[in-house]
């Protein structure tokens, strides 16, 4: 069996409605890849649906939460580049080809992040999110501005780092922090790579996130950080302006799978877009 260029891991639990769109958005990418689905033994028909569809690597069994499922999937990955796409997220057309070519051109880079779009359940654009190179003090003085739906990394990263299952909501913040502290070189790509669906059940919106961040700050961060936090908080907003994350010139077109078009991408074009979540 040929080794895939990229491995995509999707943890899921009772999200079949969104998972179908997620899988379709990976399947139509024109680069050798594998898509690994790790299901927590869903009761919504996910295991049966997966069994009826060829071309996927999948497992359905009880787990200890999303990050436990994610670690399982990462352990199964065979690609030289690895990524994590949640079931309520989709890749935009050409994303995997762009990423594969980028890593080929930049052997010194260990991981990359890009920009993404926020959509509602009907696929309509609610806001965009432009990011910049990850800087850990900004994560803990404000919020994680680089989402995992645009994170791609070389396999050597997960040979050294796993997601911390001690946390239920912020293990992705911990993962970014560890990559940076371990000295892995990151880069930002100024391109929209994925869409994130606002389902109302997203973990990033869970109140537990801020509680876990407080625990993390006291347990893992340097003792000087609380004193420096106000300066980093201000610096974050300056960085957003400096990197142009609050502006987008012209209209924006994107193509995704929707409830009305589950088997073929539907193109949408929007003008007067904003970073504000309306």
């Amino acid at each position: 069996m040929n080794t895939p260029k990229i491995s995509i891991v999707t943890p899921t639990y009772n999200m079949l409605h969104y998972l179908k769109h997620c899988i379709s958005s990976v399947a139509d990418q024109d680069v050798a890849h594998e898509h690994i689905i790790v299901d927590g033994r869903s009761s919504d028909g996910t295991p049966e649906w997966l069994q009826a569809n060829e071309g996927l690597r999948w497992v359905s069994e009880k787990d200890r939460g999303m990050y436990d499922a994610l670690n399982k999937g990462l352990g199964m990955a065979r690609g030289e580049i690895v990524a994590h796409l949640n079931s309520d997220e989709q890749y935009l057309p050409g994303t995997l080809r762009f990423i594969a070519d980028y890593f080929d051109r930049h052997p010194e880079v260990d991981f990359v992040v890009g920009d993404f779009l926020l959509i509602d359940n009907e696929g309509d654009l609610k806001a965009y999110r432009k990011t910049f190179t990850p800087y850990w003090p900004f994560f803990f003085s404000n919020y994680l501005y680089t989402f995992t739906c645009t994170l791609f990394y070389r396999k050597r990263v997960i040979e050294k780092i796993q997601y911390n299952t001690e946390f239920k909501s912020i293990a992705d913040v911990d993962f970014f922090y560890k990559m940076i502290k371990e000295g892995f070189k990151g880069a930002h790509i100024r391109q929209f790579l994925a869409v994130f669906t606002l389902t109302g059940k997203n973990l990033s919106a869970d109140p537990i996130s801020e509680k876990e961040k407080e625990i993390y700050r006291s347990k893992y961060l340097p003792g000087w950080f609380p004193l420096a936090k106000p300066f980093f908080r201000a610096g974050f907003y300056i960085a957003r302006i400096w990197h142009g994350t609050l502006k987008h010139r012209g209209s924006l077109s994107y193509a995704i799978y929707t409830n009305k078009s589950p088997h073929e991408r539907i193109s949408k074009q929007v003008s007067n877009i904003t970073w504000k979540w309306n």
Side-chain angles (χ1 to χ4, degrees):
M1 182 181 294
N2 294 330
T3 301
K5 180 76 172 179
I6 303 179
S7 295
I8 309 299
V9 177
T10 296
T12 188
Y13 181 68
N14 286 338
M15 294 283 282
L16 181 58
H17 174 73
Y18 298 100
L19 179 63
K20 291 178 180 179
H21 297 162
C22 170
I23 289 174
S24 294
S25 80
V26 175
D28 69 3
Q29 302 285 325
D30 65 342
V31 64
H33 66 271
E34 64 177 356
H35 196 177
I36 302 167
I37 314 299
V38 185
D39 175 55
R41 196 175 291 171
S42 296
S43 58
D44 65 348
T46 295
E48 294 79 8
W49 187 87
L50 291 171
Q51 190 167 17
N53 285 267
E54 298 180 358
L56 298 172
R57 297 183 66 199
W58 63 279
V59 61
S60 181
E61 60 188 22
K62 289 291 184 182
D63 54 49
R64 293 179 288 112
M66 184 182 79
Y67 296 115
D68 181 40
L70 184 52
N71 284 336
K72 288 181 186 178
L74 294 175
M76 297 167 62
R78 296 178 294 132
E80 59 185 82
I81 302 167
V82 185
H84 159 205
L85 189 69
N86 286 327
S87 50
D88 52 9
E89 299 164 344
Q90 298 182 43
Y91 287 135
L92 291 169
T95 289
L96 296 193
R97 169 54 59 193
F98 181 89
I99 291 297
D101 292 345
Y102 184 91
F103 275 108
D104 285 344
R105 296 195 311 270
H106 298 275
E108 77 285 0
V109 172
D110 297 303
F111 69 95
V112 299
V113 292
D115 302 338
F116 62 100
L117 305 175
L118 293 169
I119 62 172
D120 63 18
N121 280 314
E122 299 306 316
D124 293 326
L125 184 67
K126 304 305 291 182
Y128 67 80
R129 287 291 182 270
K130 292 183 178 181
T131 63
F132 50 93
T133 304
Y135 183 50
W136 74 259
F138 288 165
F139 299 161
F140 296 100
S141 58
N142 294 273
Y143 55 85
L144 181 62
Y145 55 89
T146 51
F147 272 37
T148 55
C149 60
T150 71
L151 171 64
F152 295 83
Y153 40 86
R154 298 189 188 275
K155 193 172 184 180
R156 58 175 172 257
V157 171
I158 58 170
E159 290 171 350
K160 197 165 187 179
I161 300 171
Q162 286 193 322
Y163 284 87
N164 188 345
T165 57
E166 173 186 353
F167 299 103
K168 302 303 179 186
S169 181
I170 67 159
D172 48 353
V173 184
D174 171 71
F175 191 85
F176 272 104
Y177 178 68
K178 287 178 177 175
M179 281 198 298
I180 296 169
K181 296 300 285 184
E182 289 288 347
F184 288 113
K185 183 175 180 180
H188 172 254
I189 296 171
R190 178 48 59 87
Q191 180 164 319
F192 292 113
L193 302 177
V195 297
F196 177 93
T197 307
L198 297 165
T199 66
K201 298 179 180 179
N202 310 108
L203 271 181
S204 57
D206 195 312
I208 196 176
S209 295
E210 196 53 45
K211 294 180 181 178
E212 288 191 345
K213 271 192 180 182
E214 287 299 328
I215 295 172
Y216 199 96
R217 291 185 188 106
S218 64
K219 190 173 182 180
Y220 295 105
L221 297 189
W224 52 260
F225 182 77
L227 294 175
K229 182 180 174 181
F231 299 98
F232 287 123
R233 189 171 182 82
F236 171 71
Y237 291 104
I238 294 172
R240 289 187 70 188
I241 296 171
W242 177 262
H243 289 284
T245 67
L246 306 181
K247 295 181 180 180
H248 185 83
R249 294 181 179 178
S251 60
L252 173 70
S253 60
Y254 62 101
I256 58 171
Y257 294 91
T258 68
N259 298 331
K260 294 180 180 179
S261 184
H263 305 298
E264 183 178 5
R265 288 186 187 265
I266 184 170
S267 296
K268 293 175 176 278
Q269 185 161 347
V270 184
S271 57
N272 300 319
I273 66 172
T274 176
W275 60 271
K276 294 181 180 180
W277 174 1
N278 297 318

